[in-house]
Amino acid sequence: MEDKITIDFLGKDKKSVYEQLNQQLEALIAPDQDLIASLGNTAALLNEVLRPLWVGFYIVKNEKLVLGPFQGPIACVHIAFGKGVCGKAWETKQPQLVPNVHEFQGHIACSSLSNSEIVVPIFNAAGDVVMVLDIDSENFAQFDEEDQQGLEQLAAIISKYYFN
Ligand code: SME
């Protein structure tokens, strides 16, 4: 990866931030690059731009979600189908926008500092969930529909490059 991240995100509205972030992602990852390397760089890019408490991937492996590349504090290694916000996104195949994790039944608190989160599923060509992207924040209601849209586009890029 020779490209330096040079996007100026300051003063930009959220939609433009995600447009630029996703453009940057297209330049950063490539289908012939190792998937784990690309997920690592994707987590780093998201961390740089969004500055969340935690950002990373949980990958479907042996009928569980297993911790993948991430940035932030140490996290839970395994999450079962349907459990927590990540497991719910896997089960329902729907993004989960959680403004207050303390009100989400079954939330898995990897960090006591987390107050809100968003989880977006990533699909293969058959429509199965192959991993989820999880972003946690110390702020309540940090994420909204614009984040969801931007992150669904990001998920679609990863699907297109690696799971089509
Ligand atoms: N918040 C997640 C667990 C993963 S960690 O927060 C990194 C959940 O309830 O699914």
Side-chain angles (χ1 to χ4, degrees):
M1 201 274 294
E2 274 92 46
D3 283 349
K4 203 171 166 293
I5 297 165
T6 51
I7 310 167
D8 173 18
F9 291 99
L10 290 173
K12 295 239 160 62
D13 63 280
K14 222 187 246 186
K15 197 161 172 270
S16 319
V17 167
Y18 279 106
E19 270 169 21
Q20 281 194 279
L21 189 155
N22 284 327
Q23 274 172 20
Q24 180 74 36
L25 183 72
E26 296 251 17
L28 193 62
I29 69 174
D32 60 349
Q33 261 168 29
D34 183 79
L35 171 64
I36 297 299
S38 290
L39 295 179
N41 271 334
T42 305
L45 177 66
L46 285 164
N47 187 49
E48 185 139 346
V49 175
L50 303 177
R51 291 282 167 215
L53 172 66
W54 195 94
V55 51
F57 296 90
Y58 277 93
I59 301 168
V60 176
K61 227 178 252 181
N62 302 327
E63 291 162 36
K64 276 195 182 98
L65 288 172
V66 180
L67 182 64
F70 70 96
Q71 302 258 318
I74 291 166
C76 327
V77 173
H78 295 126
I79 298 176
F81 186 71
K83 297 292 176 202
V85 185
C86 291
K88 194 80 172 174
W90 181 16
E91 182 182 28
T92 60
K93 299 188 170 184
Q94 296 294 325
Q96 303 292 311
L97 199 48
V98 183
N100 181 348
V101 296
H102 311 288
E103 290 174 355
F104 187 98
Q105 213 185 353
H107 171 250
I108 300 162
C110 291
S111 165
S112 58
L113 297 175
S114 175
N115 285 315
S116 69
E117 70 176 89
I118 184 166
V119 178
V120 176
I122 299 177
F123 301 97
N124 64 14
D128 305 315
V129 175
V130 285
M131 61 181 76
V132 302
L133 168 64
D134 176 5
I135 312 182
D136 303 333
S137 175
E138 287 171 86
N139 304 326
F140 287 97
Q142 175 65 41
F143 307 104
D144 61 18
E145 281 74 18
E146 278 191 321
D147 294 281
Q148 185 178 317
Q149 276 167 23
L151 295 170
E152 284 183 300
Q153 279 158 14
L154 182 149
I157 294 169
I158 294 174
S159 291
K160 176 181 78 179
Y161 278 21
Y162 289 101
F163 300 103
N164 64 8

